Amino acid sequence: MLSTLDTERRQLLQHFVYLGEPRQRDSNFQLDSLFVHGKHQLLLTGRVPLYNRKGDQNGYLGPKYRHSFRYLLDYHNRIKIGITGAQDAGEPFFSNKNKWGYDHYSYFMQIKDWGIIEQLNLGMYRIQMGMGLVMNSGLYFGKLSSLQSLGRTTTNIRPHSSRSAEGYLQGAAATFRLHKDWKITTFASFRYIDATLNDNGSLRTLLESNYHRTPKEMEKKNNAHKVDFGGSLGFHKGKFFAHSNINYTIFKTGLEPENKTALYRRYAAKGNNFFNLSLDYSYTDSHFSLIGETAMNEKGALATIHQLKFRFSNYLNTTIIHRYYDKKYTSFNSNSFREGTSIQNEHGIFWGLNWELPRKLSIYWYIDYTHFPFPRYQVSSSSDSFDTMLLTSIHLNSIWKLEGRYRLHLRQKDNDKKNYLLNQTEHRARMRLIGNLSNNISLRTQMDGVSIRFKDKNLGWMVSQEIAYKLHHLQLNGNFSYFHTDDYDSRLYLHEYPLLYEYASLMLYGKGIRYAVKIRADIGSKLMVVAKIGVTNYFDRNSIASGMEEIRASSMADIDFQLRLKF
């Protein structure tokens, strides 16, 4: 009997665990069987705006419609082949520099369990090594989301099939089994990037927006390139993991950041050739785990992070994270737990407590203190940050669940004369009531509030109502929100029911309402059709946004559609 598992979890194991001889996979396959017996999926997505931006009338190179396609071939989860084409609103289609149609294509081929090759990736891919101090080309969604991946110290390669044109590597990556305890991963990447150039042709700024709507934006498309290569050697024995990681980054045209006189740019990356190496390690047993990574760049600057997790019982555990990122440490592919905008100039300690009572109450609380030894943007001296959040969830009965969240975030910024630091205090609270009235109907009522105090005090609040209805192969989702904030600083965020592979998080500020309806129909097992209309009405303005994005109206509406075909 496993003492660390309660009765409920032991009973669930029968649905996930198989006892017996492992099935041997045939390493040989025929090309014709790949396409005949593989599973195919085609996904088409589009957005039709029911308004015109200033750039749509004069300035943008392409139409105002956003659209994309995604094709995937999956052969028994051993071979995957995919291609995605994506077009943002205002970008040219089959014209200008986009003579091949879409503004961005992502493509990949992944093969698993092929002899000594555990995984082979060709085309576009993403890699995470260790805790991300040297290589983690994934996206960063904040402290809570990054905690879920910090416990993994194995090297992870996955295909890049997103419509996003940022963060991926392009070339080849493979993991080889050297021995039952040893694995090695190697990768090489060459990709074009967007950049702002200096007069001498050097790179002033690496751009991440990847918009190519205007002639100036199109001039910067693929005007530089970046080379990455490296790998990871890993050892796994029982409860212990260890990996050595290395990454070289080369820019043919050197980096020369703008505004060299700005103090916060003193240690920005400069030059042509960069490398990072690290050692990550882990020890885990049933009640205790310690994982960490220590990295160094070509200048000898260090970055290190360690996570200690202790499990008191099945219902109570605590996590402590310490990180130190030197002001001279730079890496173009790092992405890990942090308070600042990059893995640089940060020293912090995090403590979190997770307490769950069976089927009733769960409490999660964290405290994070960070010190920034060197000046940062809008901060002309060393500064501090304090962040704490409390999340609770309680099941009132078999139908209703109540969730609450409160966050206090303190950061220091310059005053107007830049001779003194002021505290910016941010309070955010959320209360959510979720009800599953039946197998077909669910409700969610939510209230959000924010208070920002820096030079002035700014307030904001929002109330939202969502409903979801499901009948056989038809799903209906609707939401309505009223928001009222003093300004942009007191903005609020609303998460709507998204389309597949989309992230539907809206930023709202000012005074107005937001409402949306989404309908999904599954026609048999092969075809899915989704349609969504979303409308935002503002009560405090006659125009929305500015510059080329300006809409000369007080409301905006978009129609989104999606079609998926499996064959």
Side-chain angles (χ1 to χ4, degrees):
M1 178 180 294
L2 299 176
S3 60
T4 56
L5 293 178
D6 56 20
T7 303
E8 181 180 2
R9 288 178 171 85
R10 287 196 293 271
Q11 292 174 347
L12 287 174
L13 279 178
Q14 62 182 319
H15 302 289
F16 302 96
V17 176
Y18 166 76
L19 297 178
E21 293 296 327
R23 185 180 65 181
Q24 298 297 323
R25 287 186 170 182
D26 185 6
S27 60
N28 298 317
F29 57 88
Q30 301 295 327
L31 187 62
D32 57 349
S33 66
L34 174 66
F35 290 94
V36 173
H37 300 291
K39 296 180 180 179
H40 304 260
Q41 178 177 295
L42 178 64
L43 182 71
L44 304 177
T45 304
R47 168 171 291 180
V48 179
L50 303 182
Y51 50 85
N52 289 315
R53 303 176 181 86
K54 182 179 179 180
D56 297 328
Q57 299 170 330
N58 183 19
Y60 286 160
L61 299 173
K64 63 181 182 179
Y65 310 106
R66 190 186 82 165
H67 51 96
S68 65
F69 78 90
R70 182 194 301 254
Y71 167 77
L72 175 65
L73 166 63
D74 187 347
Y75 181 77
H76 301 304
N77 201 34
R78 287 194 57 210
I79 302 176
K80 292 183 179 180
I81 301 174
I83 182 171
T84 300
Q87 192 82 10
D88 287 313
E91 294 177 337
F93 190 57
F94 281 106
S95 63
N96 207 287
K97 285 187 177 182
N98 296 340
K99 295 180 180 179
W100 293 96
Y102 284 91
D103 182 73
H104 169 70
Y105 288 96
S106 62
Y107 51 89
F108 70 89
M109 179 177 183
Q110 182 188 66
I111 302 175
K112 293 182 178 180
D113 298 323
W114 189 19
I116 66 169
I117 300 178
E118 182 177 279
Q119 186 177 156
L120 172 65
N121 290 264
L122 302 175
M124 297 179 178
Y125 55 91
R126 293 176 180 267
I127 298 183
Q128 178 178 343
M129 299 192 305
M131 300 181 75
L133 298 186
V134 168
M135 172 63 70
N136 182 5
S137 54
L139 301 177
Y140 183 76
F141 291 104
K143 296 175 183 176
L144 288 179
S145 62
S146 66
L147 282 173
Q148 300 176 1
S149 61
L150 281 179
R152 297 197 312 265
T153 56
T154 55
T155 300
N156 177 35
I157 310 174
R158 63 188 186 278
H160 174 73
S161 59
S162 170
R163 56 176 288 125
S164 171
E166 185 58 37
Y168 63 86
L169 301 177
Q170 181 175 263
T175 298
F176 302 88
R177 303 184 188 95
L178 302 181
H179 184 266
K180 65 176 182 178
D181 299 329
W182 291 89
K183 293 181 183 180
I184 186 171
T185 297
T186 61
F187 66 90
S189 168
F190 175 95
R191 58 162 297 197
Y192 287 100
I193 58 175
D194 297 357
T196 301
L197 305 181
N198 295 307
D199 294 337
N200 62 0
S202 61
L203 308 181
R204 183 168 73 237
T205 307
L206 303 181
L207 303 177
E208 298 181 356
S209 66
N210 290 290
Y211 285 128
H212 307 119
R213 303 162 298 183
T214 65
K216 287 187 176 180
E217 290 177 346
M218 187 59 75
E219 287 177 3
K220 299 171 184 176
K221 181 177 180 178
N222 297 336
N223 62 349
H225 67 260
K226 173 174 172 276
V227 175
D228 287 283
F229 61 93
S232 174
L233 177 62
F235 172 77
H236 174 204
K237 189 70 173 180
K239 302 177 181 179
F240 179 73
F241 287 81
H243 303 83
S244 59
N245 314 294
I246 188 168
N247 175 62
Y248 284 87
T249 300
I250 302 172
F251 296 93
K252 183 178 179 180
T253 306
L255 285 171
E256 282 189 30
E258 61 180 343
N259 196 6
K260 297 178 182 179
T261 59
L263 194 58
Y264 70 92
R265 291 185 179 273
R266 175 175 294 180
Y267 298 109
K270 302 179 182 67
N272 297 79
N273 303 318
F274 307 87
F275 79 86
N276 301 84
L277 54 88
S278 75
L279 181 68
D280 70 85
Y281 29 84
S282 169
Y283 178 84
T284 304
D285 64 19
S286 58
H287 293 283
F288 166 85
S289 69
L290 174 64
I291 63 175
E293 183 176 11
T294 300
M296 181 178 66
N297 68 351
E298 74 280 354
K299 298 178 181 178
L302 295 177
T304 184
I305 181 171
H306 291 88
Q307 174 181 285
L308 173 66
K309 190 169 185 177
F310 190 81
R311 183 188 184 101
F312 297 100
S313 68
N314 293 328
Y315 312 113
L316 182 65
N317 63 75
T318 187
T319 303
I320 300 174
I321 300 174
H322 173 265
R323 75 268 187 194
Y324 170 77
Y325 309 143
D326 191 273
K327 62 186 177 183
K328 297 181 181 180
Y329 183 82
T330 55
S331 174
F332 295 96
N333 299 303
S334 60
N335 199 349
S336 189
F337 189 91
R338 66 182 187 269
E339 167 70 18
T341 57
S342 63
I343 307 301
Q344 185 182 33
N345 185 35
E346 179 171 325
H347 188 192
I349 185 73
F350 170 97
W351 172 80
L353 182 70
N354 190 14
W355 183 33
E356 296 185 10
L357 294 179
R359 301 181 182 180
K360 285 294 183 180
L361 176 68
S362 66
I363 298 175
Y364 182 75
W365 178 34
Y366 78 72
I367 298 174
D368 186 45
Y369 167 76
T370 310
H371 176 67
F372 304 99
F374 199 71
R376 302 187 300 146
Y377 178 65
Q378 295 185 336
V379 185
S380 55
S381 64
S382 61
S383 59
D384 300 286
S385 171
F386 177 79
D387 182 16
T388 183
M389 179 183 286
L390 177 65
L391 299 94
T392 62
S393 175
I394 182 171
H395 289 266
L396 302 177
N397 50 43
S398 60
I399 297 177
W400 297 99
K401 180 174 72 171
L402 184 63
E403 297 178 347
R405 172 186 296 190
Y406 168 74
R407 184 181 187 185
L408 169 63
H409 203 175
L410 281 78
R411 287 169 285 191
Q412 293 182 309
K413 293 184 177 180
D414 285 331
N415 64 355
D416 292 334
K417 296 182 179 180
K418 296 185 178 181
N419 59 1
Y420 187 79
L421 295 182
L422 299 176
N423 288 330
Q424 175 181 286
T425 305
E426 177 179 333
H427 301 268
R428 289 188 179 272
R430 171 177 294 171
M431 188 69 69
R432 179 186 295 167
L433 180 64
I434 301 173
N436 295 311
L437 305 184
S438 66
N439 293 331
N440 300 327
I441 302 176
S442 62
L443 300 174
R444 185 170 70 177
T445 304
Q446 180 174 303
M447 295 188 64
D448 292 86
V450 59
S451 172
I452 308 288
R453 180 182 291 275
F454 181 46
K455 299 174 184 178
D456 300 308
K457 185 176 182 179
N458 303 307
L459 302 174
W461 59 274
M462 177 172 62
V463 58
S464 308
Q465 179 64 59
E466 297 182 357
I467 182 172
Y469 176 76
K470 183 176 181 180
L471 180 63
H472 303 299
H473 300 293
L474 185 67
Q475 297 181 33
L476 176 66
N477 302 100
N479 65 274
F480 177 88
S481 301
Y482 176 83
F483 57 93
H484 187 291
T485 77
D486 290 339
D487 58 5
Y488 175 81
D489 290 337
S490 53
R491 61 192 178 275
L492 293 162
Y493 297 91
L494 175 68
H495 180 76
E496 291 185 342
Y497 292 102
L499 277 66
L500 290 178
Y501 308 110
E502 299 278 340
Y503 182 69
S505 182
L506 301 174
M507 179 186 65
L508 301 171
Y509 69 95
K511 302 174 181 64
I513 57 174
R514 166 73 184 184
Y515 50 95
V517 176
K518 188 187 81 169
I519 301 175
R520 169 175 170 170
D522 291 283
I523 305 172
S525 60
K526 305 294 185 181
L527 181 63
M528 179 205 73
V529 180
V530 180
K532 175 184 175 181
I533 181 169
V535 182
T536 307
N537 290 327
Y538 293 94
F539 304 148
D540 59 346
R541 67 196 73 174
N542 295 318
S543 64
I544 303 171
S546 60
M548 289 292 185
E549 289 290 287
E550 182 182 4
I551 303 169
R552 295 179 179 176
S554 60
S555 66
M556 55 186 293
D558 295 279
I559 297 177
D560 293 281
F561 65 88
Q562 200 166 64
L563 184 148
R564 184 185 66 188
L565 178 63
K566 295 181 178 181
F567 53 98

